[in-house]
Structure formats: C-alpha cells, structure tokens
Amino acid sequence: MFYIIDILGTISFAISGVLVALNKRMDPFGIFIIAFVTATGGGTLRDILIGSTPVFWMENMIYVYVIAITTILAVIIKQRIDYLRTPMFLFDTIGIGLYTLVGIQKGINLNFHPLICISLGTISACFGGVIRDILCNDIPVIFRNEIYATACIVGGISFFLLRELQVESNLIYLISGFIIIAIRLLAVRFKISLPSVYSDDEVV
Amino acid sequence: MFYIIDILGTISFAISGVLVALNKRMDPFGIFIIAFVTATGGGTLRDILIGSTPVFWMENMIYVYVIAITTILAVIIKQRIDYLRTPMFLFDTIGIGLYTLVGIQKGINLNFHPLICISLGTISACFGGVIRDILCNDIPVIFRNEIYATACIVGGISFFLLRELQVESNLIYLISGFIIIAIRLLAVRFKISLPSVYSDDEVV
Amino acid sequence: MFYIIDILGTISFAISGVLVALNKRMDPFGIFIIAFVTATGGGTLRDILIGSTPVFWMENMIYVYVIAITTILAVIIKQRIDYLRTPMFLFDTIGIGLYTLVGIQKGINLNFHPLICISLGTISACFGGVIRDILCNDIPVIFRNEIYATACIVGGISFFLLRELQVESNLIYLISGFIIIAIRLLAVRFKISLPSVYSDDEVV
C-alpha cells in the first residue's frame, strides 16, 4: 500500500516536471533531469541535510526506472496529457501527504525536535518542486501563492499533537496524512491562498 | 558574548531575507523560507561540504525560534523597518565577522589547509545570501559589486598571518574579526568596490 | 597522464566559467567563484550525493591553485582568449570524458547499479556547468540543445557493455573515454542535437 502510493506519487511528480520542462522547450535530456529532480529532489535534499548518504534513489533502482518510463510516456502522450490532469493531481496530493510522513518519520528516528521533523517532512514533499523551478529559472511557485507547504506543515503539527495525545501509531499516520490531503484539495478547490502581507490588500 | 553575536547576526540575516522576499511579493511561507535560508544557508552549505551532518540548525532549536519570531516581527513592522537599517547593518556586519571565524575554526578542527579554512569561513558568512538570491531568481549580489566576501577573505588571511606570528589565540580572533568588520564598514561608507576588470573603465 | 588530463580539464572548465562570468559583468570575486564552481561543481555534487565528504577539493590543494591562477590569467588575456577557443574546446571535451570515467569508477567502488554509476559519471562531468548557469541566472545550457550529457551517458553505457564482455580493464577506460570524446566532437562539428520533441518540427 505504502509502496504503491510512493510509486504513484513519484509518477505524478515526474509528470509535473515533464510538463514544466516541455514548457521551457528543453531537449530530451533536460526533460528527464527535470522530471527526476522534481520527483526525487525533496527526499535528496532531506537525505543530504541529515547525512543519510548515499541518498535514497541510489540504493533502490525503482525510482530511476519509474521516472524514466514516466518521462518517455509523458512526452509521447503530451498532447493528450490534459485528460490526466485530475488523476495526476490526486496522486500528487496523496504523494505530498505520504512524503511528508516519510520525512517526519526519518526525523523521529534521529530523535530530532518535532519542529525539525516537520521541516524534514515539508522538505521531502515540497523541495523537489523548488529545485525544479530553480533549474527552470523561475521563482519557486510554492513561495508565492499556493497552499502547498502549508498543508504539510499543518499535517505535521497534527501528527505531533496526536502523538502527544497518545493516539495509536497507525491512526496518527492516517489522520495526519488525511489532513494534508484534505487541506491541499480544499485549497485548490476553493482557490484559497495564504493571507497576503502586502499593503494594497492588507487588512491587519 | 559569542552567543549573543550569533543571535544578533541571525536576526539581521533573517531580516535581510524578509526584505528581499517582500520585494518579490512572496507569501508568508516563502518569506519565512527566504529568511531561514539567508540566515542559515551559509553554515548549512559549509556543514554539507565537510560532512558535518545533521547540519547545525537541526540540533539546536534556537535558530528556528529566532528566525520564526524575527520573520513575524519584520513582516508586522515592515513599513517602519527603514528605521532599523543602521543597527541592522551593524549586526549584519558583526555577524559576517563572526560567521567567518566560526567557519575558519571548523576548518582548523578538521586540519584543512589555511586556504580551505578561509573558504569555509567565507562560505559560512556569504552563501546564505547567495542561496537567497538564487531562490529569488537574481544573480547573487555579492558576485557583482560588493566588498563583502572580500572582507571575509582578507580577514581570513590576517587570521593565518597572525597565527603564523604566534599571536595569542583570543587576540587572533579579535583582530581578524575586527578587520572583517572594518573593511566592510569602510567599503560601504566610502562606496568602495573591487577594481573592475572591464575594458570601458579599465586602467591596468 | 591521468593527472595531466585532470588539470587540463580543470583549466578548461575554469576558463569557461570565467567567460560566462565576464559576460555577466561580475566582479573579480564573482568571476573566481563561477570559475571554481564550473570546474569543481560536478565532482562536489557527486561527493555530496554519495556522502564522500569532505568533498574532493578540500583535501588536495591543486584544484584551488590551478583555478586561481587560471582565473587571473584568463581575466588578463581576456581580449585575446578567442585564440584559445580550439585548444580549450579540446581540453574541455577530454575533461568531460575523464570526469565521466572518474564518476563511474567511484560508483563501482560503492557497488552501485550501473545506471547509478553512469549517473554519477554524468553528474561529475556536467553539473559544474549546471551550477554555473544557475548562479548566472540562466536555464542550464545542457538542458536545451547540446549533445553534452548524452555523450557521457552513451560513453557510460559502452563502459558497462564492454565490462559485460569482459574486455580488459584499461581498454574499457580507453574505449569508453574515446567514445565520449568522439560523440561530443562530432556533435559540435556537425551541429547535431538531440531529436526535438516539439510539435512544430516533430516527425514521429
């Protein structure tokens, strides 16, 4: 189950990378690298920061295979990829939930403070997209107006609150994963973004 | 003392990150990340390059707390932050001096060549700003026309010259820290930049 | 021999960095950093990903010296650097071949899967240029229309095919290095790039 979600998340992240790279008119090598970085960049940065090297995708070939096949298929069907937008968005969202929980778990294993664990979860889920945007010479989209990292952070906080309440371990994972997914889906559905801090539309 | 300078430096670096992020009209999450990266990015890169992982801010929560509070306060008082420009510039400059010395010390502990120690000092002090500028899609300002890294390098060279002369250890720290701060202050005060290497204004 | 190629490759990479930095009108510090990053960035990223820290240039001062001297000379003779374009291109190409093989060898030493070894070779050879382009605020040139990484990948595949055929070890290095160099030279000579995946000129 866990494993299937990981693969579906990797596929969705890779496709989102392919779409951005196609948009920048990159060549096939560039497209593959952007797909790879989008799918693995967050976990790679997490592993580098905590010193868990070689990083995760070097020791399990499934990621390389899945991303390579996804990239090829995505390029072939790129005219019709719009039909996949809804399932892709769902996988992507579930992937974010999963990656956040994986990052938190890695932090707990290393006895880090809850805030550091939440950071590691958020990095795992979100920084693939940040590295993708940097390589494509854009300001990272999640720094601008998306409820994306926020969903991971709120989910992470729920995780530790539930833990404090001594909720059963599997239940903690399910509930906090669900919270991340729900926040992300609701934010996209109702076009919610973080409150602005700029004067022209500032209320506070 | 050392500790207070570290915190004041972190605050100044974080505020400089907030100002850049506000300028790019980022959302609250983006602003916090840019503040965090500006304040911790140099030391993080240093720790990754030398393999000192988990990186420093994961094992001492003071950095996360200070940067979070600084970011919130800076966003609230952003209209009046100009009044803080002078003290902030001073803290920032003192911070650079301190971070350079911390980086050099880490290199010495690992028995690196003096030039590598000076590089580590310069990376600690300057590369938070470099990563900030990359995330904000700008060419790093310190690569263009600031006497910033140069101050760290000259201070680092002084450090090892004084060491060669067997000056007492505390005195080495004080003098070379003072040199970094003085060069930076004088360069900003008298608008000095590195000699240009471009033909239209080339003398050599 | 190996050692001389390494140095010549480092020089060529550093000069290519100097040229890009001059083009962006950076100051002397910026020029040196871009030269350094172009020459060492690929190997540094490789070392960080596999956890081989401190990274390679911290423990052998030759890289710092060679890059510093190269940067100074390149800036001095920058008006006449065009005369060096052909030898530089040759050294650069030989450097790519060598760095790919070094990266592959490091992967083999760690018992990685051949595809990961090829990735490490490609990262060693190509990602210095990627980091250079990011610091200069450009989309990395090798993601767009250059047969560059492709040469490394094809060379890497040949390496493992020859190994499978139990060819003698030195011969494997020579042949696969030669393949990388030949592909790169032919691609530049005949202006070959990867097949486009875009509709307006798509054949498939």
Side-chain angles (χ1 to χ4, degrees), chain C residues 106-127:
Chain C
K106 294 224 173 193
I108 290 174
N109 294 347
L110 290 163
N111 290 314
F112 285 138
H113 185 284
L115 286 180
I116 299 296
C117 298
I118 296 173
S119 307
L120 287 174
T122 308
I123 289 172
S124 308
C126 302
F127 273 67

Side-chain angles (χ1 to χ4, degrees), chain A residues 48-51 112-113 115-116 120 130 134 137 139-140 142-144 146 149 153 194-195 197-200 202, chain B residues 21-22 24-31 33 44 48 53-55 57-58 61 65 75 78 134-137:
Chain A
I48 290 174
L49 290 173
I50 64 179
F112 285 138
H113 186 284
L115 286 179
I116 299 298
L120 287 174
V130 170
I134 293 173
N137 205 13
I139 293 184
I142 68 159
F143 294 170
R144 284 177 298 176
E146 291 254 8
I153 295 168
L194 289 183
V197 299
Y198 300 97
S199 353
D200 45 287
E202 206 171 295
Chain B
L22 286 172
K24 296 275 174 180
R25 301 192 69 82
M26 291 192 180
D27 72 8
F29 174 73
I31 296 170
I33 294 293
T44 302
I48 290 174
T53 47
V55 298
W57 49 267
M58 292 193 172
M61 292 307 294
Y65 294 144
V75 168
K78 68 180 193 300
I134 293 172
L135 287 175
C136 291
N137 205 12

Side-chain angles (χ1 to χ4, degrees), chain A residues 78-132:
Chain A
K78 66 180 194 298
Q79 316 275 11
R80 276 145 296 168
I81 220 160
D82 259 355
Y83 299 124
L84 292 177
R85 221 165 269 275
T86 307
M88 257 182 60
F89 170 66
L90 283 175
F91 296 155
D92 181 89
T93 304
I94 298 170
I96 294 165
L98 179 77
Y99 295 157
T100 307
L101 297 176
V102 171
I104 288 174
Q105 188 56 56
K106 293 225 175 193
I108 290 173
N109 295 346
L110 289 163
N111 290 315
F112 285 138
H113 186 284
L115 286 179
I116 299 298
C117 298
I118 297 172
S119 307
L120 287 174
T122 308
I123 289 171
S124 307
C126 301
F127 273 67
V130 170
I131 303 175
R132 173 199 65 208

Side-chain angles (χ1 to χ4, degrees), chain B residues 82-134:
Chain B
D82 259 355
Y83 298 125
L84 291 177
R85 221 163 270 277
T86 307
M88 257 182 59
F89 171 66
L90 283 175
F91 296 154
D92 181 89
T93 304
I94 299 171
I96 294 165
L98 179 78
Y99 294 158
T100 306
L101 296 176
V102 171
I104 289 174
Q105 188 56 55
K106 294 225 174 193
I108 290 174
N109 294 347
L110 289 163
N111 290 314
F112 286 138
H113 186 283
L115 286 179
I116 299 297
C117 297
I118 296 172
S119 307
L120 287 174
T122 308
I123 289 171
S124 308
C126 301
F127 273 67
V130 170
I131 303 174
R132 174 199 64 209
D133 292 343
I134 293 172

Side-chain angles (χ1 to χ4, degrees), chain C residues 17-146:
Chain C
V18 169
L19 294 178
V20 174
L22 286 172
N23 210 31
K24 296 275 175 180
R25 301 193 68 83
M26 290 191 180
D27 72 8
F29 174 73
I31 296 170
F32 173 71
I33 293 294
I34 299 297
F36 195 85
V37 158
T38 309
T40 65
T44 301
L45 180 57
R46 175 201 64 215
D47 285 353
I48 290 174
L49 290 173
I50 64 178
S52 164
T53 48
V55 299
F56 74 100
W57 50 266
M58 291 194 173
E59 297 189 314
N60 182 346
M61 293 306 294
I62 188 75
Y63 300 100
V64 174
Y65 295 144
V66 165
I67 297 168
I69 295 169
T70 302
T71 304
I72 294 170
L73 292 179
V75 168
I76 292 175
I77 64 158
K78 67 179 194 299
Q79 316 275 13
R80 274 145 296 168
I81 221 161
D82 260 354
Y83 299 125
L84 291 178
R85 221 164 270 275
T86 308
M88 256 182 60
F89 171 66
L90 283 175
F91 295 155
D92 181 90
T93 304
I94 299 171
I96 294 166
L98 179 77
Y99 294 156
T100 306
L101 297 176
V102 171
I104 289 174
Q105 188 56 55
K106 294 224 173 193
I108 290 174
N109 294 347
L110 290 163
N111 290 314
F112 285 138
H113 185 284
L115 286 180
I116 299 296
C117 298
I118 296 173
S119 307
L120 287 174
T122 308
I123 289 172
S124 308
C126 302
F127 273 67
V130 170
I131 303 174
R132 173 200 64 208
D133 292 343
I134 293 172
L135 287 176
C136 291
N137 205 13
D138 293 322
I139 293 184
V141 66
I142 69 160
F143 294 171
R144 284 177 298 177
N145 43 27
E146 291 253 10

Side-chain angles (χ1 to χ4, degrees), chain A residues 17-83:
Chain A
V18 170
L19 294 178
V20 174
L22 286 172
N23 210 31
K24 296 275 175 180
R25 300 192 69 82
M26 290 191 180
D27 72 9
F29 174 74
I31 296 170
F32 173 71
I33 294 293
I34 300 297
F36 195 85
V37 158
T38 309
T40 65
T44 301
L45 179 58
R46 174 201 65 214
D47 285 353
I48 290 174
L49 290 173
I50 64 179
S52 163
T53 48
V55 298
F56 73 100
W57 50 267
M58 292 194 171
E59 298 190 312
N60 181 346
M61 292 306 295
I62 188 74
Y63 300 100
V64 173
Y65 294 144
V66 166
I67 297 168
I69 294 168
T70 303
T71 304
I72 294 170
L73 292 179
V75 168
I76 291 175
I77 64 157
K78 66 180 194 298
Q79 316 275 11
R80 276 145 296 168
I81 220 160
D82 259 355
Y83 299 124

